[in-house]
Amino acid sequence: MEPRTPKITPPPPTRPAKQFALRFISGKYQGGEFPLPANKEIVVGRSSELDMVLVEDMVSRRHAKITVTGDQIFIQDLGSTNGSFVNGEKVKRARLNEGDRILIGTSIIKLVAAEGAAGDNALRANAQLEEVAQGRRTSQVRTMSGTIEEVPLPDLLQLFSTSKKSGVLVVRTDADVGRLFLDKGRLVFATVNDNFDVQPLKSVIRIITWDHGTFEMDPPEEREFLETIKMSTEGVLMEAMRQLDELKRLGADMPAMHATVQLAMPLIPPLRDLSPEEIDVLQLAFNYGHVETVLNKSLANDLDTSQILVKLLKTDYLRRE
């Protein structure tokens, strides 16, 4: 009996490394993508001889280096003047994960999975970026613009705070326009629909809670405000998230901003059972009725005023119209 030839099992096919690209979600090159070649490094900067060329004043000649090794991607700042930022933090070297946002100059760049194979032609990729920039060029160029679905406002403000940017961030939704005034990254004032009677901290917290719309950065405005925001940007963001979480818990019990309420008639529960703060909100509701106006004129923040409104409705001091 002849010996059986051992069966050789072929090695399993190696899984190709996942391909990535840098997608420009804000700035001069918004809408463009730069495929990252596998197992290579690209140097980003203003110099025309580099792999990724970003032609703008805030980008250094040799700004940063991005290295791809298999599935691992790293960014290293090359001693740039204005720094490199990842998810709002200034970095010297950091590992990148899919979905991370990089700020270089005025460009916000998102690391995304590439749909096809990454190309190695940096010249072609740069030419495509420049075509995007040419297509966006108008007589009034917005240096930074995008959607808040793509770049949520807390992330955007954190980027601006860390990179110490100045200007007016204009945020537009279907119904409202918010304006956030920044001085070297610090929030100093805010308005919603140019209503300067509302406390600026109230306005900025309302704007931060918006989850859809567009943003664009206008140049700084030389103006003085009667009241400014004293809290740090980080403090404002923390307070906004706290209020948003608590407001969500009120759910449908809290009337919409455009709704109206009125004093219950006959008024049966005794006024003596209310605190001074609750009586103040009750008086505002009696005088104005419109929920947004009550929130605007209340001395308390939106969360505290909303909680009082809900209590007054539940205890029959107020009723919805």
Side-chain angles (χ1 to χ4, degrees):
M1 184 174 178
E2 295 183 2
R4 300 177 68 179
T5 304
K7 187 176 181 181
I8 299 175
T9 304
T14 58
R15 182 175 60 87
K18 190 173 182 179
Q19 304 294 335
F20 292 93
L22 299 174
R23 178 179 297 163
F24 288 74
I25 57 178
S26 175
K28 178 180 178 180
Y29 302 97
Q30 182 184 346
E33 282 196 10
F34 191 102
L36 290 177
N39 298 313
K40 288 191 177 181
E41 67 179 31
I42 64 169
V43 179
V44 184
R46 199 172 70 248
S47 175
S48 60
E49 63 196 26
L50 301 181
D51 304 294
M52 182 192 287
V53 182
L54 303 181
V55 185
E56 56 170 293
D57 292 341
M58 291 186 67
V59 175
S60 297
R61 288 182 61 79
R62 287 174 54 87
H63 197 104
K65 178 173 66 176
I66 297 175
T67 305
V68 182
T69 307
D71 286 341
Q72 295 188 357
I73 303 174
F74 292 89
I75 183 171
Q76 178 182 344
D77 187 77
L78 298 177
S80 64
T81 302
N82 294 300
S84 302
F85 301 83
V86 177
N87 298 329
E89 293 187 12
K90 191 172 185 177
V91 298
K92 291 184 176 179
R93 187 175 187 271
R95 182 175 175 179
L96 298 175
N97 297 301
E98 186 175 348
D100 282 349
R101 297 178 181 88
I102 306 161
L103 176 67
I104 295 178
T106 63
S107 292
I108 300 177
I109 310 165
K110 186 176 183 180
L111 181 66
V112 298
E115 294 182 359
D120 291 339
N121 194 327
L123 287 175
R124 185 184 305 120
N126 276 315
Q128 291 172 345
L129 286 182
E130 195 54 38
E131 285 178 10
V132 170
Q134 292 288 347
R136 288 176 51 79
R137 189 165 293 144
T138 63
S139 58
Q140 292 182 329
V141 176
R142 300 292 185 186
T143 56
M144 299 193 77
S145 62
T147 68
I148 57 179
E149 291 91 341
E150 189 76 74
V151 193
L153 284 173
D155 293 358
L156 191 62
L157 289 171
Q158 186 65 46
L159 283 171
F160 290 164
S161 175
T162 311
S163 56
K164 301 188 183 303
K165 291 193 179 298
S166 297
V168 183
L169 182 64
V170 182
V171 185
R172 289 184 171 85
T173 70
D174 294 337
D176 300 299
V177 178
R179 289 163 60 82
L180 300 165
F181 296 80
L182 295 113
D183 180 25
K184 297 179 181 178
R186 189 175 70 86
L187 280 163
V188 293
F189 196 78
T191 64
V192 176
N193 299 326
D194 289 330
N195 188 343
F196 286 83
D197 293 333
V198 180
Q199 298 170 6
L201 185 58
K202 278 190 183 183
S203 295
V204 71
I205 289 177
R206 288 184 196 175
I207 296 168
I208 288 173
T209 61
W210 296 350
D211 57 7
H212 71 279
T214 62
F215 70 84
E216 55 193 27
M217 185 65 127
D218 284 348
E221 293 184 9
E222 294 293 333
R223 61 188 306 169
E224 293 184 1
F225 303 105
L226 294 177
E227 180 182 1
T228 60
I229 297 169
K230 306 301 183 187
M231 195 179 292
S232 69
T233 299
E234 291 75 12
V236 171
L237 292 173
M238 290 179 63
E239 178 63 13
M241 294 303 101
R242 182 189 75 83
Q243 290 195 31
L244 180 59
D245 288 343
E246 294 295 328
L247 285 168
K248 284 180 178 177
R249 295 182 186 179
L250 297 179
D253 291 334
M254 176 61 191
M257 295 282 275
H258 58 77
T260 54
V261 295
Q262 64 181 23
L263 202 65
M265 296 298 289
L267 183 59
I268 295 175
L271 292 177
R272 64 175 175 271
D273 290 346
L274 298 178
S275 68
E277 293 78 14
E278 291 166 346
I279 290 175
D280 287 344
V281 174
L282 183 69
Q283 184 177 6
L284 290 172
F286 175 73
N287 288 339
Y288 302 103
H290 186 234
V291 170
E292 184 176 4
T293 305
V294 172
L295 292 169
N296 288 347
K297 292 186 173 295
S298 174
L299 297 179
N301 63 43
D302 282 354
L303 172 61
D304 292 344
T305 305
S306 297
Q307 290 173 332
I308 291 173
L309 275 174
V310 168
K311 177 182 177 180
L312 294 174
L313 285 164
K314 286 185 173 183
T315 51
D316 297 326
Y317 288 91
L318 294 175
R319 65 179 178 84
R320 300 177 191 237
E321 285 194 345

